[in-house]
Amino acid sequence: MKFVPRKPKEGVNVSKEHPLVEAGTLIVGLGFIFATIALALIFMVEIALYFVPVEKEAALFKNWLPEDIATVSPNDARLEKLESLLWRLARHFPESPYDFRIEIDDSEYMNAMALPGGLIIVTAGLLEKVATENELAFILGHEMGHFKNRDHIRALGRGVVLSLMFAAISGSGAGSDLGATIADITLRGFSRRQEVSADAFGLALVEQEYGHVAESWRFFERIDEGDDEFLEFVTYLSTHPSPDDRVATLINNAAENGWSISGETIPIEW
Ligand SMILES: [Zn+2]
């Protein structure tokens, strides 16, 4: 039998699918692969961080200051008051390995953040809105709760992975704005569960310092009545329809522990 070469049929390499459908499938597929890799890496980093002793973190970031995200005002006269309040609260958290530090960022937005190594940054915008030391103590105590639960370091792990993935996809250098990305994700990365837990910790510190928790949450009620947003709690609000719920949870928490919700408060004058 003789082999007769034949021309292949026209369009043998052309898919029956519309090219746009094919492109879509490819993009969705690649996206899915990247998302899977990112999730796997995040999971691995979370596990790895679990094994990084908190003492190591505290030592590593001892003098660290993320100047790319915060314009720190070292000569702000309010700093002294903030430091003394923070250190008073820290006495009720003696098992902490951190030497807590606090800095003021000159931003007009209300925000507070917990950063690696025990650094708390509060914004000038926030300080302008606090009316009592008790409110401020609760906000600082809440941040200390994030350190206690190591939420900030989990968010950091997530930030590192996501910014590296982003750099891999976009082909840009990872180093340049890694710090900013880490900080950005650290700010947005807390879940509602983490916030509730940090609240409970902060409230306990306030109770130990003042012997009552009066006005601790007054700050939230007040900003809730206005137009401003407290950035630290955006995730909390975005995952729950009613901001009142946070205050209700705090009042419940106080009742369960038998903590007084009335008592003398200390007005703040800067
Ligand atoms: Zn928080």
Side-chain angles (χ1 to χ4, degrees):
M1 187 178 156
K2 201 179 159 212
F3 175 69
V4 185
R6 268 186 307 175
K7 259 186 156 179
K9 270 195 217 129
E10 200 73 40
V12 71
N13 283 325
V14 177
S15 155
K16 290 184 192 70
E17 295 280 7
H18 190 279
L20 276 179
V21 174
E22 286 211 312
T25 313
L26 186 70
I27 290 166
V28 169
L30 279 179
F32 183 74
I33 290 168
F34 268 108
T36 309
I37 295 173
L39 284 175
L41 282 174
I42 288 166
F43 186 63
M44 277 159 58
V45 168
E46 293 227 351
I47 290 175
L49 284 171
Y50 187 77
F51 292 102
V52 174
V54 65
E55 289 78 11
K56 194 147 245 167
E57 179 217 324
L60 205 62
F61 289 94
K62 202 170 170 44
N63 298 309
W64 179 67
L65 200 59
E67 279 166 42
D68 45 352
I69 56 144
T71 313
V72 168
S73 313
N75 300 319
D76 195 310
R78 296 173 289 191
L79 210 48
E80 207 177 309
K81 206 172 215 171
L82 283 172
E83 281 175 340
S84 82
L85 178 59
L86 179 67
W87 294 335
R88 266 161 54 208
L89 292 170
R91 285 188 323 199
H92 308 299
F93 182 18
E95 70 276 24
S96 162
Y98 299 104
D99 288 327
F100 286 108
R101 291 184 292 143
I102 190 158
E103 297 289 350
I104 300 169
D105 172 27
D106 69 3
S107 164
E108 63 187 283
Y109 296 104
M110 289 187 284
N111 204 1
M113 47 194 133
L115 292 167
L119 173 63
I120 294 174
I121 292 184
V122 291
T123 59
L126 171 71
L127 295 180
E128 260 147 49
K129 289 278 162 76
V130 287
T132 65
E133 192 185 286
N134 308 65
E135 291 176 1
L136 185 58
F138 176 65
I139 292 166
L140 297 184
H142 172 97
E143 295 308 316
M144 289 160 93
H146 283 311
F147 289 113
K148 166 92 164 78
N149 301 326
R150 299 195 82 198
D151 297 333
H152 66 297
I153 208 82
R154 265 176 243 281
L156 180 78
R158 225 160 33 217
V160 171
V161 169
L162 291 179
S163 58
L164 287 176
M165 291 292 288
F166 185 75
I169 296 168
S170 67
S172 66
S176 52
D177 36 35
L178 192 62
T181 312
I182 289 170
D184 186 42
I185 291 177
T186 305
L187 304 187
R188 292 182 289 121
F190 298 151
S191 69
R192 184 168 176 268
R193 185 185 53 77
Q194 289 174 316
E195 297 299 358
V196 168
S197 173
D199 268 3
F201 184 82
L203 201 65
L205 286 192
V206 168
E207 203 278 335
Q208 288 175 69
E209 179 61 26
Y210 300 100
H212 62 77
V213 294
E215 303 263 316
S216 297
W217 47 79
R218 183 69 196 110
F219 178 77
F220 306 112
E221 293 173 326
R222 212 172 44 245
I223 57 166
D224 197 36
E225 292 153 11
D227 308 325
D228 294 316
E229 222 177 16
F230 184 25
L231 294 175
E232 216 273 33
F233 296 140
V234 167
T235 46
Y236 186 97
L237 295 179
S238 68
T239 48
H240 205 275
S242 161
D244 298 341
D245 183 63
R246 176 175 212 152
V247 172
T249 306
L250 284 164
I251 292 173
N252 255 339
N253 192 338
E256 273 168 21
N257 287 292
W259 295 335
S260 173
I261 58 167
S262 61
E264 205 176 319
T265 57
I266 303 160
I268 275 201
E269 278 147 43
W270 297 115

